[in-house]
């Protein structure tokens, strides 16, 4: 078992006493943590539930978070929090869909040693969940802390509490992204107290967390807060990242909880007076079928704000090269569409979706607000023909549905973002395709089945920061070790040295994509592909998003 070296220091130091537990003194006050043990039996220090901002409650609801106040006495850093949310997964039968607390802006820090001879590289994980659900504490340290790094995760406001916008300066939007920035700033300023190197911070996220990572490359106020980034199945150009018609959706939520919507200021004041649970429940009212669309409220281009967090469209910022020049890694899995498609893996839902394709697919594929209503049926028919031909939607054709969902929601636009990002920076951009068919998959929980369905959206992060147990045998464990090796080596200098032959993307946007295909711990090879995600088809559809809503000349696109 790794020996815990903790030295008493006079100022801002750490003290480990068997009777009192671990104490660290921050500018805010004294923390008391505890010890945990990794899967390999190594002890590490855990500080869970450290406030990085004042509670965003009462009059502070729908306001930009304020720095945390100092506390008196000793803060017991032994509690995991989650922001109030309308859950999608992990809902036992009969349990309330709304969970969490409005007071939720906390950071969790895990370190092998608070006073190492040399400061550790730092990994900060931004959780996913469609900007609507999830929490940092889900992604545990039991695997990654077998390596000599500091690991951090945190919460940010979700759904209506974090992403409503009135399209003016009353409630500009993007509070959840501002929370992320505040958390990263807090980590940058305080991580040295936990043995972390503030000049070697890698941010990493999956899905909405991965999209958030790339957004931090292009949001001006995130400059200087990190040194490298890893986006798993996430980028800034996804169809569901930027929400259309935010004021309209804010008004609908307000109406649902009984607020007058004629005046934006009065409406927001009314929303402040309503129970947070009541507001969180409205997410379900914006989802016509099951949990679709899964991001009814989310980030916006807040040009109307006095001090915008996202001053322009991500496509514009990438195209203009307004990107932090830092190494980046981006990936996708073989069967991305299993989120959310695994939830439909039963005869009743597949038959319903088959019969109501053109009514439901705009919500599932997030194109209801970006295509002219008169063209919606024609677009739906084109998608069906492209992926199903003349076949009905059944369990036999289920994989074709998953391919359509995955290409639209996660892969085609990832190619676009990866190419533009690579051209915009001098730093390397690495790309991998995770196709390892392990013993289990996260999608089995969503599908409520024991039948293996494929390599799901989110499966790669499960080997690194497990939420569900998917390591079953020695091959799974070696796959986990390999992925962790890739992350830890990239954290050192922005190069995944674990794979010596890994070539970054070319700086020519028309070149083939250099891709590391990971099919197993002993089956990893570089390939060059012209495109991914059937991008030519999806780019041909009349969706008013990314390049199709911008003002560039055709020759520039």
């Amino acid at each position: 078992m790794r020996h815990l070296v903790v030295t008493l220091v006079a100022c801002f130091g750490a003290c480990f006493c068997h009777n009192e537990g671990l104490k660290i003194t921050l500018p805010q006050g004294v923390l008391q943590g505890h010890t945990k043990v990794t899967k390999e039996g190594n002890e590490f220090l855990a500080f869970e539930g450290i406030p990085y901002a004042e509670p965003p409650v009462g009059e502070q609801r729908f306001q930009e978070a304020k720095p945390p106040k100092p506390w008196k006495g000793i803060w017991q850093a032994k509690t995991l929090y989650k922001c109030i949310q309308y859950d999608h997964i992990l809902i036992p039968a009969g349990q309330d869909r709304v969970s969490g607390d409005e007071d939720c802006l906390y950071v969790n820090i895990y370190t092998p040693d608070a006073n190492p001879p040399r400061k550790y590289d730092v990994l900060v994980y931004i959780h996913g969940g469609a900007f609507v659900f999830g929490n940092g504490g889900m992604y545990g340290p039991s695997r990654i802390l077998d390596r000599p790094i500091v690991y951090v995760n945190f919460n940010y406001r979700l759904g209506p509490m974090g992403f409503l916008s009135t399209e003016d300066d009353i409630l500009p939007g993007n509070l959840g992204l501002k929370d992320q920035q505040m958390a990263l700033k807090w980590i940058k300023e305080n991580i040295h107290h936990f043995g972390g190197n503030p000049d070697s911070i890698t941010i990493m996220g999956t899905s909405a967390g991965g999209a958030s990572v790339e957004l931090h490359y292009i949001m001006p106020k995130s400059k200087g807060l990190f040194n490298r980034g890893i986006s798993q199945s996430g980028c800034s150009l996804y169809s569901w990242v930027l929400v259309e018609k935010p004021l309209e959706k804010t008004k609908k939520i307000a109406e649902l909880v009984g607020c007058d919507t004629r005046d934006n200021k009065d409406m927001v004041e009314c929303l402040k007076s309503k129970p947070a649970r009541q507001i969180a429940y409205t997410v379900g009212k914006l989802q016509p079928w099951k949990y679709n669309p899964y991001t009814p409220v989310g980030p916006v281009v807040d040009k109307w704000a006095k001090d915008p967090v996202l001053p322009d469209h991500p496509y514009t910022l990438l195209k203009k090269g307004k990107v932090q020049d830092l190494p980046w890694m981006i990936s996708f899995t073989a069967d991305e569409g299993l989120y959310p498609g695994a939830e439909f893996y039963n005869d009743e839902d597949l038959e319903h979706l088959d019969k109501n394709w053109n009514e439901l697919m705009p919500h599932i594929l997030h194109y209801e607000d970006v295509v002219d209503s008169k063209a919606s049926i024609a677009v739906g028919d084109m998608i069906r023909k492209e992926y199903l031909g003349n076949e009905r939607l059944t369990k036999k054709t289920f994989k074709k549905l998953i391919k359509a969902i995955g290409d639209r929601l996660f892969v085609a636009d990832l190619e676009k973002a990866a190419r533009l990002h690579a051209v915009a920076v001098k730093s390397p951009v690495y790309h991998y395709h995770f196709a390892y068919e392990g013993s289990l998959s996260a999608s089995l929980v969503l599908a409520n089945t024991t039948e293996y369905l494929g390599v799901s959206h989110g499966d790669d992060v499960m080997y690194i920061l497990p939420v569900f147990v998917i390591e079953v045998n020695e091959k799974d464990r070696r796959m986990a070790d390999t992925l962790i090796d890739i992350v830890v080596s990239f954290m050192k200098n922005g190069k995944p040295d674990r794979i010596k032959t890994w070539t970054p993307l070319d700086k020519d946007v028309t070149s083939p994509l250099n891709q590391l295909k990971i099919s197993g711990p002993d089956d990893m090879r570089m390939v060059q592909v012209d495109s991914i995600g059937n991008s030519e088809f999806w780019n041909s559809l009349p969706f008013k998003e990314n390049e199709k809503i911008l003002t560039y000349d055709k020759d520039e696109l």
Side-chain angles (χ1 to χ4, degrees), residues 399-415:
K399 284 187 177 293
K400 296 180 180 181
L401 172 67
I402 295 307
K403 185 72 167 62
I405 295 173
D407 287 351
R408 165 59 178 165
L409 298 182
F410 300 110
V411 188
D413 288 329
L414 183 144
E415 176 188 340

Side-chain angles (χ1 to χ4, degrees), residues 254-280:
E255 289 172 352
L256 287 167
V257 298
C259 290
D260 193 307
T261 63
R262 289 174 293 183
D263 180 85
N264 286 351
K265 185 176 181 179
D266 291 344
M267 175 176 67
V268 172
E269 286 302 310
C270 177
L271 283 167
K272 284 184 179 182
S273 72
K274 300 296 181 179
R277 290 178 58 81
Q278 192 179 81
I279 296 172

Side-chain angles (χ1 to χ4, degrees), residues 78-328:
K78 302 177 182 180
T79 304
L80 292 173
Y81 296 85
K82 62 186 290 190
C83 289
I84 193 161
Q85 58 195 261
Y86 188 75
D87 290 303
H88 188 183
I89 52 179
L90 297 174
I91 308 298
Q95 182 173 311
D96 195 341
R97 261 202 190 275
V98 172
S99 63
D101 300 296
E102 194 172 3
D103 177 3
C104 64
L105 300 184
Y106 297 91
V107 62
N108 309 307
I109 301 177
Y110 307 93
T111 178
D113 180 358
N115 289 285
R118 183 178 179 180
K119 297 294 185 183
Y120 299 115
D121 298 317
V122 180
L123 179 66
V124 180
Y125 189 77
I126 304 174
H127 77 79
F131 298 105
V132 175
F133 64 95
N135 65 91
M138 292 173 61
Y139 297 86
S142 63
R143 224 30 186 95
I144 198 79
L145 258 292
D146 278 320
R147 307 302 172 89
I149 70 162
V150 172
Y151 169 56
V152 185
N153 59 58
F154 62 87
N155 299 330
Y156 54 96
R157 280 173 284 181
L158 300 168
M161 310 310 293
F163 291 98
L164 291 187
S165 172
T166 54
E167 298 184 32
D168 57 25
D169 212 47
I170 294 170
L171 181 53
N174 293 332
L175 288 171
L177 295 180
K178 291 181 180 182
D179 291 345
Q180 292 183 16
Q181 289 177 323
M182 178 165 278
L184 293 176
K185 185 175 185 291
W186 187 97
I187 293 163
K188 176 83 171 177
E189 293 174 349
N190 290 281
I191 201 63
H192 65 283
H193 298 303
F194 302 87
N197 181 356
D199 297 318
S200 182
I201 295 175
T202 299
I203 59 174
M204 173 177 163
T206 309
S207 196
S212 296
V213 166
E214 192 185 19
L215 286 172
H216 286 296
Y217 277 78
I218 61 177
M219 293 191 301
K221 286 192 174 181
S222 296
K223 188 174 183 179
L225 298 181
F226 64 100
N227 307 92
R228 290 161 289 278
I230 301 172
S231 294
Q232 296 176 311
S233 304
C235 73
S236 64
L237 301 186
Y238 280 167
S239 59
W240 46 268
V241 168
L242 293 183
V243 170
E244 295 82 19
K245 303 177 183 177
L247 176 57
E248 178 182 312
K249 291 169 184 175
T250 297
K251 286 186 173 183
K252 183 170 183 178
I253 286 171
E255 289 172 352
L256 287 167
V257 298
C259 290
D260 193 307
T261 63
R262 289 174 293 183
D263 180 85
N264 286 351
K265 185 176 181 179
D266 291 344
M267 175 176 67
V268 172
E269 286 302 310
C270 177
L271 283 167
K272 284 184 179 182
S273 72
K274 300 296 181 179
R277 290 178 58 81
Q278 192 179 81
I279 296 172
Y281 265 117
T282 64
V283 169
K285 301 298 183 181
L286 300 180
Q287 297 169 322
W289 190 61
K290 292 185 173 289
Y291 207 91
N292 301 284
Y294 53 65
T295 306
V297 292
V300 294
V301 177
D302 53 345
K303 288 183 178 182
W304 44 73
K306 292 179 182 177
D307 187 17
V309 64
L310 186 59
D312 214 332
H313 194 286
Y315 187 94
T316 303
L317 296 172
L318 289 170
K319 191 76 175 178
K320 291 183 176 180
K322 294 185 177 182
V323 186
Q324 287 198 66
D325 193 355
L326 302 169
W328 186 42

